[in-house]
Amino acid sequence: MFEFPIHSPVEQITYDVPDGYSLFIKRDDLIDPLISGNKWRKLKFTLQEAHKQGKTTLVSFGGAYSNHLLALASAAAKFQLKSIAFVRGDEEQTENTMMIISRMMGMQFIRVSRDEYRDKPALFKKYFEKDDTAFFVDEGGMSAEGSLGCEEIIDELTDTYTDIFLAAGTGCTTAGIINAINKKQLHTHVHSVVVHRGVDEVTDNVNRLSYFVSRNSYLDTRYSILDTPMRYGQHSPELLQFCITFQQNTGIMLDPIYTGKAMMKCYEWMKGNPDGSGKILFIHTGGLLGNLGKLDAFLPYLPR
Ligand SMILES: Cc1ncc(COP(=O)(O)O)c(C=O)c1O
């Protein structure tokens, strides 16, 4: 139950990689068009837990452009479960494409105020206390089960790498990667590119979810997006240009909220250390439909 074949090959990227480095990408974006990237990784054991408890309604939380909610809606549909999500009512008054696609997969939305949204357990209790079928899934799929699922990204590898780059929102995926690296006693340096200003919060989450005292793997958040104006959900002209150039030279799509930022930082790191060397694995954490909210911003960068 709650398994499906995972297609996530590792491919080499040769485009603009400086001498001394080799760059590989774990294509978790290919797992599923909607349950893509780290989303399935984070949901798998959560769904198994819900099933064990006999729950059939997944209740979660997210912003109006949440990749997590779209994935949850699709996973629920795939396994004949119900899905309901709380969104902040003041975030966007009209329904955006992500929400419409989630509704096409059967998700129901409950809009609540920003204040109410803050206390998620209280919201769940208020609306679902008497509903025995309801199962709480935290925002972004953040949980011990979520990070356990992300360990499988490393378990699937047949090669070893000196460095791993990935985008971080809550740090749940990073925690899974670090746990798996420690478990396998690898000596891999993990560059977690936090895409918002809460680097301390992410580090706390990673520490809380890591069941190993970090012996071999080394969490590095120095390449996080601290430099404004590129805070969460925002973009700079350089980032948009980077995403377009990268895509047009590799055929691999990125998104400007997570993977584009992390890949840009990966190149910055390689190019900033021209005398360095390394065999790098970039983990593509999916989220490509996030581009739907950024189409207008990309227009000036597209060929005519
Ligand atoms: C595409 C994408 N990449 C990376 C992340 C960050 O993952 P985490 O919250 O596990 O750090 C997210 C958010 O869940 C995401 O949607």
Side-chain angles (χ1 to χ4, degrees), residues 256-299:
I257 299 159
Y258 290 100
T259 53
K261 286 180 174 132
M263 187 63 93
M264 191 170 87
K265 290 292 177 182
C266 177
Y267 273 85
E268 251 178 61
W269 177 75
M270 290 189 289
K271 291 183 174 186
N273 299 287
D275 299 328
S277 62
K279 184 173 172 189
I280 303 155
L281 182 70
F282 182 91
I283 296 169
H284 197 314
T285 44
L288 296 182
L289 290 189
N291 279 307
L292 291 176
K294 297 281 183 189
L295 294 181
D296 288 345
F298 274 122
L299 280 180

Short mmCIF file of all heavy atoms in Angstrom, two decimals, residues 256-299:
data_model
loop_
_atom_site.label_atom_id
_atom_site.label_comp_id
_atom_site.label_asym_id
_atom_site.label_seq_id
_atom_site.Cartn_x
_atom_site.Cartn_y
_atom_site.Cartn_z
N PRO A 256 11.81 29.19 -10.10
CA PRO A 256 12.55 30.29 -9.48
C PRO A 256 12.37 30.39 -7.97
O PRO A 256 12.97 31.27 -7.35
CB PRO A 256 11.98 31.53 -10.18
CG PRO A 256 10.65 31.13 -10.66
CD PRO A 256 10.65 29.65 -10.86
N ILE A 257 11.56 29.51 -7.38
CA ILE A 257 11.33 29.61 -5.93
C ILE A 257 12.29 28.71 -5.16
O ILE A 257 12.86 29.11 -4.14
CB ILE A 257 9.86 29.28 -5.61
CG1 ILE A 257 8.97 30.30 -6.33
CG2 ILE A 257 9.59 29.31 -4.09
CD1 ILE A 257 7.57 29.88 -6.54
N TYR A 258 12.51 27.49 -5.67
CA TYR A 258 13.37 26.54 -4.96
C TYR A 258 14.59 26.12 -5.79
O TYR A 258 15.71 26.50 -5.52
CB TYR A 258 12.57 25.29 -4.57
CG TYR A 258 11.54 25.53 -3.50
CD1 TYR A 258 10.20 25.71 -3.80
CD2 TYR A 258 11.91 25.57 -2.15
CE1 TYR A 258 9.25 25.92 -2.82
CE2 TYR A 258 10.96 25.78 -1.16
CZ TYR A 258 9.64 25.95 -1.51
OH TYR A 258 8.71 26.16 -0.52
N THR A 259 14.34 25.29 -6.81
CA THR A 259 15.47 24.64 -7.48
C THR A 259 16.34 25.61 -8.28
O THR A 259 17.55 25.42 -8.38
CB THR A 259 14.96 23.53 -8.43
OG1 THR A 259 13.97 24.09 -9.30
CG2 THR A 259 14.36 22.39 -7.66
N GLY A 260 15.73 26.67 -8.83
CA GLY A 260 16.50 27.66 -9.58
C GLY A 260 17.50 28.35 -8.66
O GLY A 260 18.67 28.53 -9.01
N LYS A 261 17.02 28.72 -7.47
CA LYS A 261 17.92 29.39 -6.52
C LYS A 261 19.05 28.46 -6.10
O LYS A 261 20.22 28.86 -6.01
CB LYS A 261 17.13 29.83 -5.28
CG LYS A 261 16.26 31.05 -5.57
CD LYS A 261 15.49 31.49 -4.36
CE LYS A 261 14.75 32.80 -4.66
NZ LYS A 261 13.38 32.81 -4.28
N ALA A 262 18.71 27.20 -5.81
CA ALA A 262 19.73 26.25 -5.34
C ALA A 262 20.75 25.97 -6.44
O ALA A 262 21.96 25.91 -6.18
CB ALA A 262 19.07 24.96 -4.86
N MET A 263 20.27 25.81 -7.69
CA MET A 263 21.21 25.53 -8.79
C MET A 263 22.10 26.74 -9.04
O MET A 263 23.31 26.60 -9.29
CB MET A 263 20.43 25.14 -10.05
CG MET A 263 21.29 24.68 -11.19
SD MET A 263 22.23 23.16 -10.83
CE MET A 263 21.11 21.92 -11.48
N MET A 264 21.52 27.94 -8.95
CA MET A 264 22.33 29.14 -9.16
C MET A 264 23.44 29.21 -8.11
O MET A 264 24.59 29.54 -8.42
CB MET A 264 21.45 30.39 -9.09
CG MET A 264 22.15 31.63 -9.56
SD MET A 264 21.03 33.03 -9.74
CE MET A 264 21.06 33.66 -8.10
N LYS A 265 23.10 28.87 -6.88
CA LYS A 265 24.10 28.90 -5.80
C LYS A 265 25.16 27.81 -6.00
O LYS A 265 26.31 27.99 -5.65
CB LYS A 265 23.41 28.72 -4.44
CG LYS A 265 22.57 29.92 -4.04
CD LYS A 265 23.45 31.12 -3.75
CE LYS A 265 22.65 32.35 -3.43
NZ LYS A 265 23.49 33.53 -3.19
N CYS A 266 24.74 26.68 -6.56
CA CYS A 266 25.69 25.60 -6.83
C CYS A 266 26.74 26.07 -7.85
O CYS A 266 27.95 25.86 -7.65
CB CYS A 266 24.90 24.39 -7.35
SG CYS A 266 25.91 22.99 -7.82
N TYR A 267 26.28 26.75 -8.91
CA TYR A 267 27.23 27.29 -9.90
C TYR A 267 28.10 28.39 -9.28
O TYR A 267 29.30 28.45 -9.55
CB TYR A 267 26.48 27.82 -11.14
CG TYR A 267 26.24 26.73 -12.17
CD1 TYR A 267 25.13 25.90 -12.08
CD2 TYR A 267 27.13 26.51 -13.20
CE1 TYR A 267 24.91 24.89 -13.01
CE2 TYR A 267 26.93 25.50 -14.14
CZ TYR A 267 25.82 24.69 -14.04
OH TYR A 267 25.61 23.69 -14.95
N GLU A 268 27.49 29.23 -8.45
CA GLU A 268 28.26 30.29 -7.79
C GLU A 268 29.38 29.68 -6.96
O GLU A 268 30.49 30.17 -6.92
CB GLU A 268 27.33 31.06 -6.84
CG GLU A 268 26.99 32.46 -7.27
CD GLU A 268 26.05 33.11 -6.29
OE1 GLU A 268 26.40 33.28 -5.09
OE2 GLU A 268 24.92 33.41 -6.70
N TRP A 269 29.04 28.61 -6.27
CA TRP A 269 30.02 27.93 -5.41
C TRP A 269 31.17 27.35 -6.24
O TRP A 269 32.34 27.55 -5.93
CB TRP A 269 29.33 26.82 -4.60
CG TRP A 269 30.24 26.02 -3.75
CD1 TRP A 269 30.82 26.40 -2.57
CD2 TRP A 269 30.70 24.69 -4.01
NE1 TRP A 269 31.61 25.39 -2.07
CE2 TRP A 269 31.56 24.34 -2.94
CE3 TRP A 269 30.48 23.76 -5.03
CZ2 TRP A 269 32.18 23.08 -2.87
CZ3 TRP A 269 31.10 22.52 -4.95
CH2 TRP A 269 31.94 22.20 -3.89
N MET A 270 30.82 26.65 -7.34
CA MET A 270 31.89 26.06 -8.18
C MET A 270 32.76 27.17 -8.76
O MET A 270 33.98 27.09 -8.72
CB MET A 270 31.27 25.24 -9.33
CG MET A 270 30.61 23.96 -8.91
SD MET A 270 30.14 22.93 -10.33
CE MET A 270 28.77 23.82 -11.04
N LYS A 271 32.11 28.19 -9.30
CA LYS A 271 32.88 29.26 -9.98
C LYS A 271 33.64 30.13 -8.99
O LYS A 271 34.66 30.72 -9.34
CB LYS A 271 31.94 30.09 -10.84
CG LYS A 271 31.45 29.27 -12.02
CD LYS A 271 30.56 30.05 -12.95
CE LYS A 271 30.25 29.16 -14.15
NZ LYS A 271 29.53 29.83 -15.19
N GLY A 272 33.15 30.19 -7.76
CA GLY A 272 33.83 30.97 -6.72
C GLY A 272 35.05 30.25 -6.16
O GLY A 272 35.83 30.82 -5.40
N ASN A 273 35.20 28.97 -6.48
CA ASN A 273 36.35 28.18 -6.02
C ASN A 273 37.03 27.56 -7.23
O ASN A 273 37.03 26.32 -7.40
CB ASN A 273 35.90 27.05 -5.07
CG ASN A 273 35.22 27.60 -3.84
OD1 ASN A 273 35.86 28.15 -2.95
ND2 ASN A 273 33.90 27.47 -3.79
N PRO A 274 37.63 28.40 -8.11
CA PRO A 274 38.16 27.88 -9.38
C PRO A 274 39.29 26.87 -9.21
O PRO A 274 39.53 26.06 -10.10
CB PRO A 274 38.64 29.14 -10.11
CG PRO A 274 38.75 30.20 -9.08
CD PRO A 274 37.83 29.85 -7.96
N ASP A 275 39.97 26.93 -8.07
CA ASP A 275 41.05 25.95 -7.87
C ASP A 275 40.55 24.69 -7.16
O ASP A 275 41.32 23.78 -6.88
CB ASP A 275 42.19 26.58 -7.02
CG ASP A 275 42.78 27.79 -7.73
OD1 ASP A 275 42.80 27.78 -8.97
OD2 ASP A 275 43.18 28.74 -7.02
N GLY A 276 39.25 24.69 -6.86
CA GLY A 276 38.70 23.56 -6.11
C GLY A 276 38.36 22.40 -7.03
O GLY A 276 38.60 22.43 -8.24
N SER A 277 37.79 21.36 -6.44
CA SER A 277 37.34 20.22 -7.23
C SER A 277 36.22 19.53 -6.48
O SER A 277 36.02 19.78 -5.28
CB SER A 277 38.49 19.24 -7.45
OG SER A 277 38.92 18.76 -6.19
N GLY A 278 35.50 18.69 -7.16
CA GLY A 278 34.43 17.98 -6.47
C GLY A 278 33.54 17.24 -7.44
O GLY A 278 33.44 17.58 -8.63
N LYS A 279 32.91 16.21 -6.90
CA LYS A 279 31.90 15.46 -7.66
C LYS A 279 30.58 15.77 -6.95
O LYS A 279 30.35 15.31 -5.82
CB LYS A 279 32.22 13.97 -7.60
CG LYS A 279 31.31 13.12 -8.42
CD LYS A 279 31.84 11.70 -8.43
CE LYS A 279 30.86 10.76 -9.06
NZ LYS A 279 31.25 9.38 -8.89
N ILE A 280 29.76 16.58 -7.62
CA ILE A 280 28.60 17.17 -6.95
C ILE A 280 27.31 16.48 -7.40
O ILE A 280 27.13 16.21 -8.59
CB ILE A 280 28.50 18.67 -7.31
CG1 ILE A 280 29.81 19.36 -6.92
CG2 ILE A 280 27.34 19.34 -6.62
CD1 ILE A 280 30.05 20.59 -7.73
N LEU A 281 26.42 16.27 -6.45
CA LEU A 281 25.08 15.80 -6.79
C LEU A 281 24.09 16.89 -6.42
O LEU A 281 24.01 17.32 -5.26
CB LEU A 281 24.72 14.52 -6.02
CG LEU A 281 23.34 13.95 -6.38
CD1 LEU A 281 23.34 13.37 -7.80
CD2 LEU A 281 22.90 12.89 -5.38
N PHE A 282 23.34 17.36 -7.42
CA PHE A 282 22.26 18.32 -7.17
C PHE A 282 20.97 17.51 -7.08
O PHE A 282 20.67 16.69 -7.96
CB PHE A 282 22.17 19.33 -8.32
CG PHE A 282 21.12 20.38 -8.09
CD1 PHE A 282 21.43 21.56 -7.45
CD2 PHE A 282 19.81 20.17 -8.49
CE1 PHE A 282 20.45 22.53 -7.20
CE2 PHE A 282 18.82 21.12 -8.25
CZ PHE A 282 19.14 22.30 -7.61
N ILE A 283 20.19 17.74 -6.03
CA ILE A 283 18.92 17.01 -5.91
C ILE A 283 17.80 17.90 -6.43
O ILE A 283 17.54 18.97 -5.87
CB ILE A 283 18.69 16.58 -4.45
CG1 ILE A 283 19.80 15.60 -4.07
CG2 ILE A 283 17.31 15.91 -4.30
CD1 ILE A 283 19.88 15.28 -2.63
N HIS A 284 17.17 17.46 -7.52
CA HIS A 284 16.06 18.23 -8.09
C HIS A 284 14.81 17.91 -7.27
O HIS A 284 14.29 16.81 -7.35
CB HIS A 284 15.85 17.86 -9.56
CG HIS A 284 15.02 18.88 -10.30
ND1 HIS A 284 13.85 19.38 -9.79
CD2 HIS A 284 15.21 19.52 -11.48
CE1 HIS A 284 13.35 20.27 -10.64
NE2 HIS A 284 14.16 20.39 -11.67
N THR A 285 14.35 18.90 -6.52
CA THR A 285 13.23 18.64 -5.60
C THR A 285 11.87 18.96 -6.22
O THR A 285 10.87 19.08 -5.50
CB THR A 285 13.43 19.44 -4.29
OG1 THR A 285 13.86 20.77 -4.64
CG2 THR A 285 14.47 18.78 -3.40
N GLY A 286 11.84 19.11 -7.55
CA GLY A 286 10.54 19.25 -8.24
C GLY A 286 10.00 20.68 -8.18
O GLY A 286 10.76 21.65 -8.29
N GLY A 287 8.69 20.80 -8.02
CA GLY A 287 8.07 22.12 -7.87
C GLY A 287 7.93 22.90 -9.17
O GLY A 287 7.78 24.12 -9.15
N LEU A 288 7.92 22.20 -10.29
CA LEU A 288 7.96 22.92 -11.57
C LEU A 288 6.69 23.72 -11.85
O LEU A 288 6.73 24.73 -12.56
CB LEU A 288 8.24 21.94 -12.72
CG LEU A 288 9.62 21.29 -12.60
CD1 LEU A 288 9.88 20.36 -13.76
CD2 LEU A 288 10.71 22.36 -12.53
N LEU A 289 5.56 23.29 -11.28
CA LEU A 289 4.34 24.06 -11.54
C LEU A 289 4.37 25.42 -10.84
O LEU A 289 3.53 26.27 -11.11
CB LEU A 289 3.10 23.25 -11.14
CG LEU A 289 2.79 22.04 -12.03
CD1 LEU A 289 1.43 21.46 -11.69
CD2 LEU A 289 2.82 22.39 -13.50
N GLY A 290 5.35 25.61 -9.96
CA GLY A 290 5.56 26.93 -9.35
C GLY A 290 5.84 27.98 -10.43
O GLY A 290 5.61 29.17 -10.23
N ASN A 291 6.31 27.52 -11.59
CA ASN A 291 6.54 28.44 -12.71
C ASN A 291 5.25 29.12 -13.17
O ASN A 291 5.29 30.20 -13.75
CB ASN A 291 7.17 27.69 -13.90
CG ASN A 291 8.66 27.51 -13.71
OD1 ASN A 291 9.38 28.46 -13.46
ND2 ASN A 291 9.11 26.26 -13.78
N LEU A 292 4.12 28.45 -12.91
CA LEU A 292 2.85 29.02 -13.36
C LEU A 292 2.58 30.39 -12.73
O LEU A 292 1.94 31.24 -13.33
CB LEU A 292 1.69 28.07 -13.03
CG LEU A 292 1.65 26.76 -13.81
CD1 LEU A 292 0.52 25.88 -13.31
CD2 LEU A 292 1.49 27.05 -15.31
N GLY A 293 3.10 30.58 -11.53
CA GLY A 293 2.90 31.88 -10.87
C GLY A 293 3.91 32.92 -11.30
O GLY A 293 3.88 34.06 -10.82
N LYS A 294 4.84 32.55 -12.18
CA LYS A 294 5.94 33.45 -12.54
C LYS A 294 6.04 33.69 -14.04
O LYS A 294 7.04 34.22 -14.52
CB LYS A 294 7.29 32.84 -12.08
CG LYS A 294 7.41 32.65 -10.58
CD LYS A 294 7.75 33.97 -9.91
CE LYS A 294 7.94 33.78 -8.42
NZ LYS A 294 8.05 35.05 -7.72
N LEU A 295 5.02 33.25 -14.79
CA LEU A 295 5.14 33.31 -16.26
C LEU A 295 5.37 34.73 -16.76
O LEU A 295 6.21 34.97 -17.63
CB LEU A 295 3.88 32.72 -16.91
CG LEU A 295 3.68 31.22 -16.68
CD1 LEU A 295 2.42 30.74 -17.39
CD2 LEU A 295 4.89 30.41 -17.13
N ASP A 296 4.66 35.70 -16.19
CA ASP A 296 4.82 37.09 -16.65
C ASP A 296 6.23 37.59 -16.41
O ASP A 296 6.80 38.31 -17.23
CB ASP A 296 3.82 38.02 -15.95
CG ASP A 296 2.41 37.78 -16.45
OD1 ASP A 296 2.27 37.13 -17.51
OD2 ASP A 296 1.46 38.23 -15.79
N ALA A 297 6.80 37.19 -15.27
CA ALA A 297 8.16 37.65 -14.94
C ALA A 297 9.18 37.10 -15.94
O ALA A 297 10.18 37.75 -16.25
CB ALA A 297 8.52 37.21 -13.52
N PHE A 298 8.91 35.90 -16.46
CA PHE A 298 9.87 35.28 -17.40
C PHE A 298 9.80 35.87 -18.80
O PHE A 298 10.77 35.78 -19.56
CB PHE A 298 9.60 33.76 -17.50
CG PHE A 298 10.29 32.96 -16.44
CD1 PHE A 298 9.59 32.15 -15.56
CD2 PHE A 298 11.69 33.00 -16.32
CE1 PHE A 298 10.25 31.40 -14.59
CE2 PHE A 298 12.35 32.27 -15.36
CZ PHE A 298 11.61 31.47 -14.50
N LEU A 299 8.66 36.44 -19.17
CA LEU A 299 8.46 36.86 -20.56
C LEU A 299 9.60 37.69 -21.16
O LEU A 299 10.06 37.39 -22.27
CB LEU A 299 7.12 37.63 -20.70
CG LEU A 299 5.87 36.74 -20.78
CD1 LEU A 299 4.62 37.60 -20.92
CD2 LEU A 299 5.99 35.77 -21.95
#
